[in-house]
Amino acid sequence: MPALILFWILAIVCIGAALTMVTAANPVRSALSLVVCFLALAVYYVTLSAQFIGAVQVVVYAGAVMVLFLFVIMLLNLGAPVTSSTKGSNQNTAAVALGAILLLVLFISGIFFEIPGKAVSPATAQAQGTVKAVGLTLYNPHLPWLFPFEATSLLLLVAVVGAIVMTRRQV
Amino acid sequence: MVPVSYYLSLSAVLFTIGVVGVLVKRNPIQVFMCIELMLNAANLTFIALGRFYGTSVGEMYVIFALAVAAAEVSVGLGIIVTIFRTRQSIDLDETALLKS
Amino acid sequence: MNLQFAQLILWLPLLGFLFCSTSGLYIKDRALQKRLTTIIAPGVVLASFVIALLVTLQFGSTPREIIALIPGTSIYDPWIRFGGFRVNFNEVIDPLSLVMSLVVTGVGGLIHVYSVGYMKDDRDYTRFFTYFNLFIFMMLLLVLGDNFLLMFVGWEGVGVCSYLLISFWFTDEANARAGNKAFIVNRVGDLGFSLGIMSIWSYFGTVSFYTPQHRGVLELANHVGRVLDVTGGVVPTAVITMICLLLFVGAVGKSAQIPLFVWLPDAMAGPTPVSALIHAATMVTAGVVMLSRCSFLFVHSAVALHVVAWVGLATAFMAATMALVQTDIKKVLAYSTISQLGYMFMACGVGDFSDGIFHVVTHAFFKALLFLGAGAVIHSMLGEQDMRKMGGLKKKLPATWAVMIIATYSIAGFPLLSGFWSKDAILDSASRSFAGDGTLLYAGGLITAFLTAFYMNRLMWKTFYTQERFTDGQLHTHHHGDSDDSGHGEDQGNGHVHPSPGTMMWPLYILAILAAGFGWFAGPYGPSGGNLLDKFLAPSIAPLSLGGLHPQADLMSPVAGYLLSSLIAIAGLVLAAVMYGRRMESGAILEPAAADASPLVQFLRNNWGFDALYNLIFIKGGGLLAERGLMRGVETDTINAAGDGIAKSVGGISHLLRRIQTGYVRNYALVMLVGAVTLVVGMLVGVMQH
Amino acid sequence: MLTGLVAYWDNLRDGIYRLFIFPEYWHGIRLPALVPYVALAGIFAFTLGILPMLIWIERVVIGLMQDRTGPNRLGPRGLLQPPADVLKLFFKEDIQPGSIDVRLYYLAPFISMLVALSAGAVIPLQTVTFRNVHGGLYTVPVTPGNVNIGLLFMLAASSLGVYGIILAGWSSNNKYSLLGGLRASAQIISYELAMGLSLLCVVLLAGSVQLDHIVNAQNTLPFGIHWLPSFLKGSIFSWYWLQSLIVPVVIYTVAMIAETNRAPFDLPEAESELVAGFHTEYTSMKFATFFAGEYVNMLMICGLNASVFWGGWLPPFNCFPFTFIPGFVWYILKVMMGIFFYTWLRATLPRLRYDALMNLGWKRMLPLALVWLFLLAGYSLVRTATAPHITPTAVVTVAHVAPGR
């Protein structure tokens, strides 16, 4: 029961923050709402006993990605758009309508369909989110994660180099 | 223990908010943030289902999604900065880049 | 000798071809190129012949398995692999392919040697030998290939070479037309052949003749009364009949049988060695070879055999009648070739395939000899081919006359010469036809034999005996002290008739010996108890009993048969001698005007109206169909209209669609979302329905 | 005589130790379950209590270093100066500038403070030993949250601290503030990398990111040399500042100063250029909150430093007078040494230029930390191969700490 209450509180925070992010005109406010949403998600991860992912979520998303966003927003000094949108009022209506359909469909498939398989006991689940368990899984040469993980480091390197090259003033 | 369908539904809501945001926002940074939200909604699904099945696979996927998102953000923001430098505006409706 | 050496039979001519076709690139000295070509082009063919001979001798004396496969590609990595379709590049070494290889390379080699002299002064000397070597290669591929597909490659290859060689002197439009005609008429037959191959593939599951696992088509057909496919099922007789008839259509085209014979007389437009090699000795016999190769199939279908026999007889007779009225020396020979091919088909049609091959061999000798002799005459006559302008050449060309008379008597069936033996074997078999129509076939064969003897002697009389109808200026003269290269017709009147260079005459002598003696050698009274060829060929040829058919009893005793056919031949020869002996001055039985006026002569000269019929049906009718039906109806009103309509509608649609490209990323994203939502809804609906 | 003396002291020590072994249940209350709350209360009280004193300490130390007396008016040796400062700030007029983003403006100092405080949730003060009903002993770290992601949590908290600064700078609608905020965020992001890498060196050696595991992993003979005397076990020479071969601790120290925007890296509030940087527009209690947040942040960063590099609650030598002093005293001593170091640097070094700061962070520290991480990885591989008996420290500790034994 406490878990359920926590879930609902976090859900309200999460959805509220997400909605604020979409509706806010000011990108800074948007970004902050998103940070709140990410933090709430991190708490979700911890309650799902994925502590490592929760911490990484905070470090990477809240700590690095969103700071980067804020940094760029402030660097470019972007406020709310000056002109009101003249084009695409149909676009917005259609977007909301389609979003509603999507939500309905996702709800139906998420709630009304029984998920095959059986949930494991909380004790078993608890042992799987620790740093040690994640590390052992990730670096296990008998599991298929090691090579993708190494490849990801290359991806990050490429991204770093790409970002630097792109934003250099003198090319 | 919270049923897994709760998490799936929450994830659906967040994802939909992200999708709608992508479609209605005109500021590319905000669009970008909406995309991040969609990614996170997907991550939540991964974690919840991974815990449900008692495997670490969900976490593995989330780790990769995180890494990719970080790379994507660095490059994407770099692009936005470059566009701003050349056009002095990043409004998606003013920069109809895809129409010659 | 290792049987692997047999590969060289096939590849040596290809080497020659490669040399000849590329020598121009790296040999700038034309004289040197010509000298090298002179050595290499006939050399490879003769070397091929030597190897074939060695293989044959070794093969015939070895008691082990008589049919050997020489893989060019491994079984597991085949030549062609397309889905379940697999074909290997194997050569089959068996009696039939060896006999044919010997004929092709032997007679072909002699004709190569002859051509060295004949083509000596031609501008395109090397090109000629390029085609010749390629032709030998393709013909060998046809006879040595272990599957229908390789045979088809060779089949088409010789067709191409035939086309190239008929129109060798392509600057003359008539030659080019003749080449086209040969090529196009052959296509009709090839269509049948390729349909036959496809049918074999679909019904048998293989196109190989023999395979190491003994699952080849011929091995599958080698059961009394039934034919199996690779999976062990029985192929119905109706299907066998269909396949055989389709294959026979191919044979009819290539071997110039009725109704597709019209190309062969026109093919005489090429150089005379070409006529000798392709249109007498080798290529046109491909049909007979193919029928013999497929004898295991044919014996299972009495209907197909019957058709073959009667088409053969009809061709033999009709071509003989047409030969009676020809005035062009080569055309007489061409029709005689058609006629003799008819004999061979008749032999196959009554199930006596080995005697068909026997006649192929003897015919190769004497017909090559005849053509080469005619070539020598034409050579001496500066390219004149009309017999009406010849006569009295016996004194001028005694050596040529000698070999020609041997060949003439041989083809006429003069006793104890080669043609006598082979033709008599065919007539004997025809008289005992399994279908009971032996008497008719025998009678038709005899009449044709009589006509053959008559028109061949007519040719001899018109050319060699009657009075000269030309001046010395029309002869190939030779001035003492000059080389042969000094040119045609130079210094007219002062020289004497130069028969021909040695390279042209020696092949004739050799062929003359074979044309005279080979029949005895391979015939029933030959060495080693007689019927040497029959015995040698036996493993490659299916007996009639395999299909449940049995020859009838003899019509008469063998000696009576020999006497009768000898009588007929001599009667024909004598009749011609008597009739032309009375007309020594004109050299013609009817005056030209009278001949032109005679409807019978006109009918025969016009190929019994076949040319006119084809002209009407295909040229005129086809032209009308193309112009009225296809050009207006299909091309203009349908295809062009459809094209224009598509273009217009695409333009209109894109005009509408252009509005979709707004350039706004958000619009595109919206469209993407529409697709995604549709997909998810579709999946959901799909899941719900389960 | 010496033997008797040693035996005497050993007996005395064991007797005293026995006093500090608690039963698992006391009047039906399970005592280990109370430990986190005790720790939370202790850390909270200490942090907030020491805050005013820190300002006094800093001023006194700087005064001593600069050969002057420092605060000396209120109370003995100026000890009442901190409460006076607090009172002054409390009663100052609260000015709200015009054209600001009100909500963010008010939120920023609290974010700064809260995030800094939250880092204390995983800091282990010392261990406490319990005796279970079967007579077995087991130890429990005294920390509010004994989680397996302790170090990551600290990193996450410190990376979130930048929000307070960046929001203050943005919401003030002042170009000095904005520049200060941007500088701060850039600086923090830059130095976080070097800091994380230097901490990774320790994680590599300890084999865990749980803070009490890291401290326990330092409780070995220096470099695992087994013939050394036992009083060196867990001594100052086996702490990770030395075991990680000094470079990581240097990098961490530099990075921690930059992280907390202290001199000589206090560019976000460089008064000569940016007035007061991101808190230019803040007055009264909001300023005080920023101020306090900064000091809490310093405490937490020093706490991490003490745990990770300086042996946490371990005494400098595993022998007589040191072992009598409780662990949390040593711990606090180490934290205060860190604060002293801060002050020392502030009194000594001039402020860096901004580009020099960035160059130092990106071009010196980051590569050095990276190279050192690789070196240490190789070194620990060799050590694992040659002396397997000293490596599984973390594993042994885990087994030791596991409850229910």
Side-chain angles (χ1 to χ4, degrees):
Chain A
M1 200 58 190
L4 213 54
I5 292 167
L6 182 64
F7 176 89
W8 280 113
I9 293 170
L10 286 173
I12 289 163
V13 170
C14 218
I15 293 171
L19 284 174
T20 316
M21 182 207 68
V22 174
T23 50
N26 191 333
V28 174
R29 197 159 288 169
S30 255
L32 288 174
S33 313
L34 194 58
V35 172
V36 172
C37 184
F38 284 169
L39 290 177
L41 281 173
V43 179
Y44 270 128
Y45 295 157
V46 174
T47 60
L48 281 164
S49 74
Q51 297 102 329
F52 178 71
I53 299 294
V56 170
Q57 167 90 359
V58 176
V59 174
V60 173
Y61 267 123
V65 168
M66 293 319 295
V67 171
L68 206 57
F69 268 110
L70 278 174
F71 201 79
V72 169
I73 293 167
M74 294 181 184
L75 194 73
L76 306 185
N77 202 10
L78 296 170
V82 185
T83 55
S84 65
S85 179
T86 50
K87 313 141 192 158
S89 55
N90 289 337
Q91 154 103 15
N92 290 358
T93 322
V96 173
L98 273 173
I101 297 172
L102 183 65
L103 186 61
L104 187 72
V105 172
L106 290 178
F107 259 153
I108 291 171
S109 36
I111 296 171
F112 295 110
F113 280 97
E114 209 152 288
I115 291 163
K118 230 173 75 181
V120 292
S121 73
T124 319
Q126 191 69 31
Q128 272 159 354
T130 62
V131 182
K132 189 171 177 176
V134 170
L136 286 178
T137 312
L138 199 55
Y139 285 91
N140 190 338
H142 305 296
L143 292 178
W145 308 115
L146 186 54
F147 178 73
F149 185 66
E150 309 272 354
T152 309
S153 64
L154 204 63
L155 173 77
L156 286 171
L157 182 66
V158 170
V160 167
V161 173
I164 290 171
V165 167
M166 231 179 326
T167 48
R168 272 175 67 180
R169 281 188 189 276
Q170 302 88 15
V171 178
Chain B
M1 186 146 172
V2 185
V4 70
S5 59
Y6 280 38
Y7 289 106
L8 298 187
S9 308
L10 175 65
S11 165
V13 173
L14 293 179
F15 189 84
T16 311
I17 291 173
V19 166
V20 174
V22 166
L23 294 179
V24 300
K25 298 311 277 186
R26 290 173 56 196
N27 187 334
I29 291 186
Q30 279 170 312
V31 170
F32 220 147
M33 287 193 262
C34 293
I35 293 172
E36 294 298 319
L37 182 64
M38 287 158 70
L39 277 173
N40 270 275
N43 284 357
L44 181 63
T45 317
F46 277 129
I47 294 287
L49 282 178
R51 202 48 68 238
F52 179 73
Y53 287 117
T55 73
S56 297
V57 177
E59 271 148 346
M60 297 301 118
Y61 279 113
V62 173
I63 286 172
F64 294 126
L66 271 168
V68 171
E72 175 202 332
V73 165
S74 62
V75 176
L77 288 178
I79 291 172
I80 289 173
V81 168
T82 314
I83 290 175
F84 183 79
R85 274 201 201 128
T86 49
R87 290 178 175 254
Q88 300 305 318
S89 161
I90 52 168
D91 191 320
L92 277 181
D93 284 0
E94 282 174 26
T95 55
L97 288 175
L98 294 184
K99 188 164 188 170
S100 56
Chain C
M1 192 170 80
N2 193 328
L3 265 184
Q4 286 290 337
F5 276 105
Q7 290 238 14
L8 287 178
I9 303 173
L10 179 61
W11 299 118
L12 278 175
L14 184 67
L15 286 178
F17 159 72
L18 290 175
F19 168 76
C20 293
S21 55
T22 57
S23 61
L25 294 175
Y26 45 83
I27 301 174
K28 295 301 170 202
D29 183 355
R30 289 282 160 260
L32 178 66
Q33 184 193 11
K34 197 167 175 178
R35 264 204 305 283
L36 283 173
T37 307
T38 306
I39 295 164
I40 288 173
V44 289
V45 180
L46 289 175
S48 208
F49 171 75
V50 170
I51 294 169
L53 196 61
L54 290 173
V55 170
T56 310
L57 292 176
Q58 192 232 10
F59 201 79
S61 61
T62 319
R64 65 194 173 87
E65 197 182 341
I66 198 115
I67 292 166
L69 285 179
I70 300 175
T73 53
S74 97
I75 305 298
Y76 303 104
D77 188 17
W79 172 46
I80 294 175
R81 177 168 49 191
F82 187 82
F85 183 74
R86 282 160 180 263
V87 182
N88 286 64
F89 198 103
N90 290 351
E91 288 172 42
V92 61
I93 301 294
D94 74 335
L96 179 60
S97 66
L98 278 175
V99 167
M100 285 313 297
S101 300
L102 284 174
V103 171
V104 169
T105 53
V107 177
L110 291 176
I111 296 172
H112 269 74
V113 174
Y114 175 89
S115 307
V116 168
Y118 191 87
M119 300 300 290
K120 183 177 60 191
D121 301 325
D122 200 277
R123 197 173 60 87
D124 293 323
Y125 183 82
T126 309
R127 179 163 69 90
F128 180 82
F129 279 104
T130 304
Y131 296 159
F132 247 40
N133 273 345
L134 181 63
F135 170 79
I136 297 284
F137 168 71
M138 287 298 179
M139 190 67 198
L140 286 171
L141 194 61
L142 192 158
V143 300
L144 285 168
D146 174 43
N147 51 58
F148 280 103
L149 212 61
L150 272 181
M151 184 186 244
F152 191 63
V153 172
W155 188 272
E156 294 296 316
V158 294
V160 169
C161 292
S162 159
Y163 164 77
L164 291 170
L165 286 166
I166 290 169
S167 46
F168 182 72
W169 291 316
F170 51 84
T171 46
D172 188 348
E173 198 187 339
N175 294 350
R177 279 182 184 281
N180 271 342
K181 188 173 182 180
F183 206 65
I184 292 164
V185 173
N186 263 305
R187 293 268 72 66
V188 180
D190 294 343
L191 178 69
F193 189 25
S194 49
L195 284 176
I197 293 174
M198 293 173 206
S199 308
I200 285 170
W201 163 250
S202 59
Y203 282 102
F204 284 83
T206 178
V207 292
S208 295
F209 298 140
Y210 302 98
T211 63
Q213 299 85 18
H214 302 290
R215 309 298 289 167
V217 172
L218 302 187
E219 288 154 328
L220 291 168
N222 194 3
H223 299 93
V224 176
R226 66 205 163 95
V227 179
L228 305 179
D229 60 24
V230 274
T231 55
V234 176
V235 182
T237 309
V239 170
I240 299 293
T241 302
M242 178 193 77
I243 289 172
C244 288
L245 288 178
L246 285 171
L247 295 176
F248 178 60
V249 170
V252 163
K254 192 60 78 185
S255 292
Q257 298 294 291
I258 288 174
L260 300 178
F261 69 97
V262 290
W263 65 273
L264 188 57
D266 288 10
M268 294 303 125
T272 306
V274 173
S275 307
L277 179 62
I278 300 185
H279 307 120
T282 56
M283 180 182 112
V284 290
T285 62
V288 183
V289 174
M290 192 252 275
L291 293 190
S292 306
R293 177 63 81 197
C294 303
S295 57
F296 285 92
L297 292 175
F298 274 88
V299 292
H300 285 285
S301 170
V303 178
L305 282 179
H306 220 61
V307 171
V308 172
W310 278 97
V311 168
L313 179 62
T315 310
F317 176 72
M318 285 166 68
T321 58
M322 293 170 200
L324 290 174
V325 296
Q326 300 301 323
T327 55
D328 185 325
I329 184 168
K330 283 174 74 178
K331 288 228 169 144
V332 176
L333 296 175
Y335 282 106
S336 103
T337 300
I338 299 171
S339 176
Q340 298 302 311
L341 287 167
Y343 266 118
M344 299 168 202
F345 272 70
M346 189 165 78
C348 295
V350 297
D352 189 6
F353 296 97
S354 59
D355 279 334
I357 295 296
F358 185 18
H359 200 56
V360 165
V361 178
T362 56
H363 175 255
F365 295 146
F366 56 63
K367 188 51 65 66
L369 188 54
L370 280 171
F371 264 114
L372 296 186
V377 169
I378 295 164
H379 195 67
S380 304
M381 294 289 295
L382 298 181
E384 182 55 62
Q385 300 191 4
D386 193 340
M387 291 190 291
R388 285 174 296 193
K389 295 176 182 165
M390 295 180 185
L393 285 170
K394 184 186 172 188
K395 283 170 295 196
K396 310 259 182 190
L397 303 163
T400 309
W401 169 79
V403 295
M404 284 284 277
I405 199 79
I406 291 172
T408 304
Y409 281 15
S410 186
I411 191 176
F414 195 80
L416 303 185
L417 294 177
S418 287
F420 170 77
W421 296 110
S422 57
K423 191 180 285 183
D424 203 68
I426 290 172
L427 288 175
D428 179 47
S429 299
S431 72
R432 295 186 286 120
S433 165
F434 61 88
D437 50 3
T439 319
L440 285 174
L441 291 172
Y442 185 66
L446 275 184
I447 293 167
T448 308
F450 174 77
L451 293 175
T452 307
F454 180 82
Y455 68 69
M456 284 312 298
N457 215 14
R458 168 178 174 265
L459 182 147
M460 290 305 285
W461 274 84
K462 274 173 105 75
T463 311
F464 289 98
Y465 300 133
T466 48
Q467 284 184 2
E468 295 179 20
R469 292 179 293 277
F470 56 89
T471 60
D472 276 351
Q474 290 167 305
L475 285 176
H476 184 179
T477 54
H478 176 68
H479 194 272
H480 286 282
D482 276 5
S483 73
D484 284 349
D485 295 325
S486 56
H488 292 288
E490 195 178 298
D491 199 5
Q492 295 170 359
N494 286 335
H496 65 273
V497 173
H498 175 70
S500 276
T503 52
M504 286 172 68
M505 290 315 291
W506 277 108
L508 297 190
Y509 299 150
I510 296 169
L511 284 171
I513 291 166
L514 287 168
F518 184 79
W520 167 81
F521 175 78
Y525 299 103
S528 308
N531 287 326
L532 211 58
L533 193 66
D534 274 9
K535 288 177 194 164
F536 184 66
L537 280 173
S540 294
I541 304 292
L544 260 179
S545 55
L546 199 63
L549 306 172
H550 298 285
Q552 309 253 323
D554 281 354
L555 208 60
M556 56 189 81
S557 74
V559 179
Y562 290 139
L563 284 175
L564 186 56
S565 56
S566 305
L567 213 61
I568 291 287
I570 293 168
L573 292 170
V574 168
L575 184 63
V578 169
M579 287 178 80
Y580 282 91
R582 291 213 227 125
R583 299 270 186 167
M584 287 297 277
E585 296 88 22
S586 66
I589 297 167
L590 296 173
E591 292 305 313
D596 290 347
S598 162
L600 181 64
V601 171
Q602 283 304 317
F603 177 67
L604 293 177
R605 276 188 186 164
N606 292 333
N607 291 351
W608 290 39
F610 269 101
D611 276 341
L613 187 68
Y614 289 167
N615 214 25
L616 184 69
I617 296 173
F618 295 113
I619 312 271
K620 293 235 176 84
L624 277 177
L625 180 69
E627 194 173 333
R628 297 275 161 73
L630 296 178
M631 196 185 90
R632 295 220 190 109
V634 177
E635 174 81 19
T636 312
D637 294 349
T638 312
I639 297 175
N640 280 4
D644 291 351
I646 288 168
K648 272 177 200 158
S649 52
V650 165
I653 291 168
S654 52
H655 193 77
L656 288 175
L657 287 177
R658 201 173 58 187
R659 292 190 198 164
I660 290 178
Q661 199 204 349
T662 56
Y664 297 120
V665 182
R666 296 191 298 143
N667 291 13
Y668 300 154
L670 186 72
V671 177
M672 272 171 71
L673 181 66
V674 170
V677 168
T678 313
L679 211 63
V680 174
V681 169
M683 281 165 68
L684 187 64
V685 170
V687 171
M688 277 174 143
Q689 279 173 348
H690 275 286
Chain D
M1 195 190 92
L2 192 68
T3 334
L5 199 66
V6 168
Y8 172 76
W9 285 117
D10 280 0
N11 283 335
L12 185 64
R13 186 186 66 192
D14 289 352
I16 291 169
Y17 275 14
R18 239 171 257 125
L19 290 178
F20 288 102
I21 293 176
F22 299 99
E24 193 174 9
Y25 288 96
W26 183 70
H27 295 298
I29 301 167
R30 189 169 179 269
L31 291 180
L34 294 180
V35 168
Y37 302 102
V38 174
L40 184 62
I43 287 178
F44 203 67
F46 173 75
T47 309
L48 295 183
I50 198 103
L51 261 182
M53 284 306 291
L54 283 179
I55 298 160
W56 178 80
I57 291 168
E58 188 163 354
R59 291 173 73 173
V60 167
V61 170
I62 290 177
L64 285 172
M65 286 181 175
Q66 296 175 347
D67 202 12
R68 54 189 173 85
T69 48
N72 53 7
R73 301 286 161 179
L74 279 168
R77 297 193 64 84
L79 265 172
L80 290 178
Q81 189 65 41
D85 285 347
V86 170
L87 274 178
K88 179 202 76 175
L89 283 169
F90 199 79
F91 288 110
K92 271 211 154 176
E93 186 190 359
D94 192 2
I95 298 168
Q96 180 185 324
S99 62
I100 52 162
D101 191 323
V102 180
R103 268 179 291 182
L104 295 182
Y105 177 78
Y106 280 102
L107 197 61
F110 290 100
I111 290 177
S112 188
M113 182 75 185
L114 278 176
V115 167
L117 267 179
S118 71
V122 292
I123 283 180
L125 291 177
Q126 65 165 84
T127 55
V128 58
T129 311
F130 289 101
R131 188 200 309 278
N132 65 12
V133 285
H134 308 295
L137 300 179
Y138 65 95
T139 57
V140 168
V142 180
T143 165
N146 185 24
V147 291
N148 61 41
I149 50 167
L151 197 60
L152 287 173
F153 186 89
M154 294 291 285
L155 277 178
S158 79
S159 67
L160 284 185
V162 75
Y163 278 107
I165 295 167
I166 207 168
L167 288 182
W170 166 261
S171 61
S172 300
N173 198 20
N174 174 330
K175 60 167 88 74
Y176 295 128
S177 300
L178 182 63
L179 280 175
L182 279 180
R183 275 187 182 186
S185 50
Q187 183 176 330
I188 287 174
I189 291 175
S190 307
Y191 278 83
E192 210 163 57
L193 294 169
M195 185 174 170
L197 283 173
S198 67
L199 288 175
L200 268 185
C201 293
V202 172
V203 171
L204 186 72
L205 292 173
S208 175
V209 290
Q210 199 167 337
L211 284 173
D212 62 310
H213 289 183
I214 293 175
V215 175
N216 273 322
Q218 299 175 55
N219 193 6
T220 60
L221 287 167
F223 299 96
I225 303 168
H226 58 273
W227 44 260
L228 289 175
S230 70
F231 74 90
L232 286 179
K233 182 170 180 287
S235 73
I236 190 167
F237 300 114
S238 62
W239 298 344
Y240 276 147
W241 70 272
L242 188 62
Q243 281 218 62
S244 64
L245 309 179
I246 301 173
V247 171
V249 72
V250 173
I251 292 170
Y252 180 86
T253 312
V254 176
M256 90 183 178
I257 295 161
E259 278 278 296
T260 46
N261 301 325
R262 292 282 301 187
F265 302 134
D266 54 350
L267 284 123
E269 39 193 298
E271 65 275 5
S272 55
E273 305 159 23
L274 301 177
V275 188
F278 59 89
H279 53 69
T280 307
E281 301 285 356
Y282 283 85
T283 54
S284 172
M285 278 311 288
K286 294 196 292 296
F287 170 74
T289 315
F290 263 129
F291 202 68
E294 185 180 318
Y295 277 89
V296 172
N297 207 6
M298 278 163 66
L299 279 175
M300 295 305 160
I301 293 274
C302 287
L304 185 63
N305 189 16
S307 287
V308 164
F309 287 107
W310 301 96
W313 61 81
L314 297 174
F317 290 101
N318 187 20
C319 64
F320 162 55
F322 308 105
T323 44
F324 280 119
I325 300 165
F328 70 93
V329 177
W330 285 119
Y331 185 73
I332 287 166
L333 215 57
K334 288 167 186 174
V335 174
M336 295 319 285
M337 287 296 287
I339 299 292
F340 171 75
F341 191 73
Y342 265 116
T343 317
W344 184 10
L345 283 184
R346 182 179 169 189
T348 316
L349 294 177
R351 186 180 295 137
L352 263 73
R353 220 175 52 234
Y354 192 73
D355 59 330
L357 175 87
M358 283 291 155
N359 275 346
L360 181 67
W362 286 103
K363 295 184 182 169
R364 305 277 186 281
M365 313 253 293
L366 183 60
L368 184 61
L370 205 55
V371 167
W372 210 257
L373 181 63
F374 278 105
L375 281 180
L376 271 185
Y379 162 69
S380 62
L381 261 185
V382 171
R383 224 167 67 149
T384 315
T386 53
H389 60 280
I390 46 98
T391 42
T393 43
V395 181
V396 168
T397 330
V398 170
H400 190 61
V401 173
R405 237 182 70 197

